[in-house]
Amino acid sequence: MDDLLKIKGRIFDIQRYSIHDGPGIRTIVFLKGCVMRCRWCCNPESQSYEIETMMVDGKPKTIGRDVTVEEVMKTVRRDSHYYWRSGGGLTLSGGESLCQPEFAYALLATAKAAGINTAMESMGCAKFEVIEKILPVLDTYLMDIKHTDPNKHKEFCGRDNILMLENARKIAESGMTKLVIRVPVIPTFNDSVEEIVSIAEFADKLKGVEKIHLLPYHRLGQDKYDGLNRSYPMGDILPPENDHMEMLKKAVENSTSLNCQIGG
């Protein structure tokens, strides 16, 4: 375990007292680096593994720092009493956590050994051998599935989804972690009933999967693109209306046995 504490990785934020991205009250560690370039990404500062400078409130801010597992766990442990009371714990996010597999494993294994619940928000975009090593120390896998059409997925995200869908099947078959499917609902990309139901029907066939979360598109990260001197790829696309989200939720419930919720 001492060797795990010394492993280094690159993060860009730690968010405490979160009630999203897993059960209970959680601490979310955001890892740098991603293999995709989703047009709507609300954390564009996560995409590059490199340390960057972003303008925030008119001032330059360094985005990205190298830390050890031990340093991160000092922050995570500060809220242990909240985890015990709420069923919360540590969640890894990004970026794509699997871009730093050794660091991700070390963080999750150290938390697990301390009795802290573990979760990871991920697209599953890595060789399954990489994912398979992490599963024994992962309580909940929050897996993004954005579309079932590989061509449209590549158009909007930069690469197809064939590997990710196959990994979803393998993760479910392993039975080693609780798998929850999450779908960012993006106008012009996947917000039709047919597209959402297609994803839900895929998820419903995965062994042990009971929940699907529909996450409505928002524009909260738009200012970050300005801060990075980048154009915002989604232009003037507006978030889906509440009525539309409720319609999609009902369509999923009518078509599958999944427990569907809006938000996650």
Side-chain angles (χ1 to χ4, degrees), residues 230-248:
R230 292 170 51 184
S231 60
Y232 183 59
M234 293 298 286
D236 296 325
I237 300 297
L238 297 176
E241 299 285 345
N242 291 338
D243 289 348
H244 186 71
M245 293 300 302
E246 290 293 341
M247 179 187 67
L248 296 177

Side-chain angles (χ1 to χ4, degrees), residues 36-95:
M36 295 204 289
R37 295 294 182 267
C38 301
R39 293 183 186 179
W40 60 89
C41 180
C42 61
N43 289 329
E45 75 274 34
S46 75
Q47 294 176 349
S48 172
Y49 178 75
E50 301 304 316
I51 294 174
E52 302 171 276
T53 299
M54 182 169 73
M55 296 299 293
V56 179
D57 296 327
K59 298 179 181 179
K61 179 180 179 180
T62 300
I63 303 296
R65 58 190 174 100
D66 295 330
V67 293
T68 63
V69 169
E70 185 173 23
E71 289 174 300
V72 174
M73 288 306 299
K74 285 180 181 178
T75 299
V76 172
R77 289 176 184 272
R78 287 166 63 184
D79 298 315
S80 293
H81 52 293
Y82 291 115
Y83 309 151
W84 312 147
R85 293 177 183 177
S86 68
L90 167 69
T91 297
L92 301 188
S93 188

Side-chain angles (χ1 to χ4, degrees), residues 212-225:
I212 186 168
H213 299 168
L214 304 182
L215 312 179
Y217 163 72
H218 60 74
R219 304 178 67 175
L220 298 180
Q222 185 171 358
D223 290 345
K224 295 180 180 180
Y225 288 83

